[in-house]
Amino acid sequence: MLIPALAAMLLQASAPAPAPAPAETAAETPAQPTDTAAQDAPAADLDPQQEAGTAPAPTAADAAPAKAQEVEPAADAPKPAGKTLWLMQPLYPGQELLVGRTEEAIASLLPADERSLEVVGRKELAASLRPADDAIDCIFGETRCEDPLGALIAGLGFERVVLVRVGQEGTGYRVRAASFQPGSFEAATAESEGANLEKTLLSSVVRVAPLAAQVEVRSEPEGATVFIDGEKVGVTPLSTQVLPGERTIRMEFAAYHPLEKKEQIPVRGRTQVVGALTKLPGKIHVISPGAKILIDGEEVGEDEVEVASTAGTHKITLHRDGYEPYETTLEVKPDDTAKFERELDPTFFKTIGQAMSEAQKEIYEEDGYFAFVYEQKTLANTAFGAKQLSLSSSDLDGMSTQDASVMAFGLEYGSLWKYVGMTWFGASYFTSRDDWTLLKKEFEDGERPDVVTTIDGGNLRLLQPQLRIAIWRFVLGVRGGVGMNLGVATGTERENRNKFFFGGIDAEAMGTVQLRLVGGLFGEAGYGHQWPLVSFVGNSSEASNLRFGVGYAF
């Protein structure tokens, strides 16, 4: 199909129009009568050359008109325009307008400095020189040749003919391209479809015509692997041929960011692609609770940071008030995370303060406590009364005492909040350490029968609130409330073993100091005083007491 199409187009574009006979020659030459006899003459009367099928040699009269029809080329007539001929045809009837667009597209693809070597379309072909006479004779069979079409193309001075047939289908285009060279009986063909005429055209013609371009790729640093449209083609510096059109050129190098560029490669052009590769960033991850974090002298955050960084060595600096500063270097590898973690060491005074703060924090987080206590209590009242069950009320008047010292052992339980607490329950048992002498009033006869006794009793405390403040491991506390006392004084002498009872409700106030020993274990010391509010058996006594104990807070 290619050869007949090319032949028809070439002959149509290159065949000369017959020159009209000169007017003078036509006037001088008489009309020749029609010789029917000559037409009917037998073959035997023909010249032997005619019998052999060879045309008779022209006479001088016959030669004159022939010479008159020849057109001599002018001195400034254009030379053969180039080595490649581009011819276009519509693929479907009625789409002749696409031929002009295709010719313009082909012309725009060709490099400007080589445009004179290309003949695009019938108009440019018609402006070219006529083919040699022997090429025309070969086409019409008047001269023997193996390749009539090749002889015609060679006679026009072309080394290649490219036939492009283009058609529109709906919203897209179809392009068929074929390439033919004189002396070759094979044609390269290609076909493409697409929505854009220029891209579809280029996709076809680059497969049948030598339109490759030269691309030079360089990188800094050298040695990067080069990919063109995803295909590995070498390493930089690189010089290679590629087909024209938009090409994606990518450079890759270990430990560097890949670099990718899109380049519009011209037909038979030369394109340089130069790229400076940048190193892949790594990451720096630093953890230092409470510290300001500086990288290469620039503050980037506190406590914990993760930042992108270039590969290489970087200086890490940590600062925190009350702590010793710290500085080190960190090596960051490309596309990797370098991690560094450190807690700063506090200064001497900060160490003390921090220890105090941590201890206080633990104390204020406590919820409750229980304690075993020992109290040294002194009963002091110059009018302490006791009721002997066998004495009359008159015998009680004027009774006085010495100070009585007793020991108390007890248990407490309470709840704690940050600065306050509550003693829900406390109970203790007390007993005298030494004999206690109960002095009765003197009678009229001057006798004063003293009574030597021992004291036993108990104390009950309920719902006593407290305030507290922690200083390092020490807890200073103040508590107050009411308590109930009930006791008995028992005579120790054989002649007087009477029992004297006393009891009442007292107001209490106490100050304490606790020391946290290990964990929630603590020791306690304190001083308190009681004032009688209500006496329901005998007369209650004022009392003061020293308090010691051990407990556990939780």
Side-chain angles (χ1 to χ4, degrees):
M1 296 295 293
L2 174 63
I3 293 179
L6 286 177
M9 296 176 67
L10 287 173
L11 290 177
Q12 181 180 0
S14 60
E24 295 180 356
T25 305
E28 296 177 355
T29 305
Q32 298 295 329
T34 300
D35 190 354
T36 56
Q39 294 176 356
D40 298 333
D45 297 333
L46 294 177
D47 189 83
Q49 291 180 345
Q50 295 176 350
E51 291 182 345
T54 302
T59 62
D62 297 329
K67 289 182 179 180
Q69 294 176 0
E70 292 180 359
V71 179
E72 294 293 338
D76 57 352
K79 301 298 181 182
K83 298 297 183 181
T84 303
L85 173 62
W86 300 81
L87 296 176
M88 292 67 179
Q89 276 188 336
L91 190 59
Y92 306 115
Q95 297 187 359
E96 285 75 11
L97 292 178
L98 285 177
V99 172
R101 287 184 58 189
T102 305
E103 291 177 352
E104 293 175 359
I106 290 292
S108 65
L109 290 175
L110 300 173
D113 56 349
E114 297 182 11
R115 184 63 180 84
S116 61
L117 301 178
E118 310 288 339
V119 174
V120 180
R122 296 184 181 184
K123 291 182 179 180
E124 293 187 14
L125 176 61
S128 302
L129 291 180
R130 291 176 52 198
D133 291 340
D134 53 354
I136 298 295
D137 292 341
C138 179
I139 286 291
F140 287 100
E142 296 179 359
T143 303
R144 294 179 60 84
C145 59
E146 295 182 358
D147 183 7
L149 182 58
L152 177 60
I153 295 173
L156 292 170
F158 298 115
E159 296 180 356
R160 181 185 302 272
V161 174
V162 180
L163 174 62
V164 179
R165 306 184 70 187
V166 58
Q168 187 170 5
E169 299 178 346
T171 59
Y173 297 90
R174 180 186 296 272
V175 175
R176 294 175 181 173
S179 175
F180 172 78
Q181 288 180 284
S184 172
F185 294 97
E186 296 181 357
T189 61
E191 184 172 342
S192 299
E193 295 181 12
N196 183 275
L197 175 60
E198 286 73 15
K199 291 184 178 180
T200 307
L201 181 64
L202 180 62
S203 178
S204 293
V205 298
V206 295
R207 290 182 278 169
V208 299
L211 301 178
Q214 193 77 14
V215 174
E216 294 181 1
V217 185
R218 289 180 293 154
S219 69
E220 177 61 38
E222 295 182 347
T225 303
V226 180
F227 297 83
I228 297 180
D229 292 341
E231 181 179 355
K232 181 179 177 180
V233 295
V235 296
T236 59
L238 173 70
S239 179
T240 186
Q241 286 188 335
V242 298
L243 294 177
E246 186 178 76
R247 295 286 172 260
T248 300
I249 300 173
R250 181 180 177 91
M251 289 173 273
E252 295 183 1
F253 198 59
Y256 286 80
H257 269 300
L259 179 62
E260 185 172 290
K261 294 185 176 182
K262 291 187 180 295
E263 297 286 344
Q264 191 66 37
I265 307 300
V267 172
R268 299 187 191 133
R270 180 179 294 272
T271 302
Q272 288 188 347
V273 180
V274 180
L277 304 180
T278 58
K279 285 188 175 182
L280 279 171
K283 290 183 179 180
I284 298 178
H285 189 183
V286 181
I287 301 174
S288 183
K292 294 181 179 179
I293 301 171
L294 290 81
I295 298 178
D296 296 331
E298 181 179 354
E299 185 175 337
V300 294
E302 295 184 9
D303 297 328
E304 180 176 359
V305 297
E306 181 172 295
V307 295
S309 175
T310 58
T313 302
H314 297 272
K315 183 172 70 173
I316 309 299
T317 307
L318 306 176
H319 285 295
R320 185 180 180 184
D321 292 339
Y323 290 77
E324 300 292 343
Y326 184 83
E327 186 175 292
T328 187
T329 58
L330 195 62
E331 187 70 24
V332 180
K333 297 181 180 180
D335 201 23
D336 193 14
T337 299
K339 189 172 183 179
F340 176 75
E341 184 174 359
R342 181 179 178 87
E343 291 190 13
L344 296 181
D345 297 325
T347 60
F348 174 75
F349 293 104
K350 185 66 178 180
T351 302
I352 296 176
Q354 186 176 17
M356 293 178 63
S357 177
E358 291 177 355
Q360 291 170 194
K361 181 180 178 181
E362 292 178 359
I363 290 172
Y364 287 138
E365 290 177 350
E366 295 169 350
D367 296 325
Y369 77 97
F370 61 86
F372 298 95
V373 297
Y374 166 80
E375 293 181 352
Q376 180 69 44
K377 183 179 293 189
T378 300
L379 303 178
N381 191 333
T382 58
F384 186 88
K387 182 177 182 181
Q388 184 179 11
L389 296 180
S390 61
L391 293 179
S392 64
S393 60
S394 61
D395 293 333
L396 299 176
D397 296 336
M399 188 175 289
S400 64
T401 69
Q402 297 175 336
D403 290 344
S405 178
V406 297
M407 300 179 296
F409 303 91
L411 175 67
E412 284 186 1
Y413 169 77
S415 295
L416 298 173
W417 295 274
K418 187 170 184 179
Y419 298 112
V420 297
M422 176 67 74
T423 301
W424 298 112
F425 171 82
S428 63
Y429 164 77
F430 59 84
T431 184
S432 58
R433 299 174 58 184
D434 301 311
D435 291 343
W436 181 41
T437 301
L438 181 64
L439 302 177
K440 298 179 67 177
K441 71 176 183 178
E442 294 183 4
F443 294 100
E444 294 178 355
D445 55 6
E447 294 183 1
R448 188 176 66 181
D450 297 335
V451 179
V452 179
T453 64
T454 59
I455 298 177
D456 295 281
N459 178 266
L460 180 64
R461 300 183 179 99
L462 298 173
L463 303 177
Q464 291 190 352
Q466 57 179 285
L467 297 176
R468 65 183 195 144
I469 184 171
I471 302 176
W472 188 39
R473 292 182 175 273
F474 292 93
V475 182
L476 306 180
V478 177
R479 69 174 65 182
V482 294
M484 184 175 67
N485 296 295
L486 182 63
V488 60
T490 305
T492 60
E493 296 179 355
R494 179 178 301 178
E495 63 277 9
N496 188 358
R497 291 186 178 277
N498 297 318
K499 295 181 181 295
F500 305 90
F501 293 90
F502 59 90
I505 298 176
D506 301 332
E508 298 183 354
M510 181 179 294
T512 60
V513 177
Q514 295 179 351
L515 173 62
R516 293 297 187 270
L517 301 174
V518 179
L521 184 65
F522 63 87
E524 182 182 59
Y527 175 81
H529 198 85
Q530 292 88 35
W531 297 270
L533 296 177
V534 178
S535 297
F536 47 84
V537 179
N539 293 321
S540 295
S541 170
E542 284 189 23
S544 59
N545 62 294
L546 291 174
R547 173 188 175 98
F548 302 94
V550 294
Y552 185 81
F554 51 88

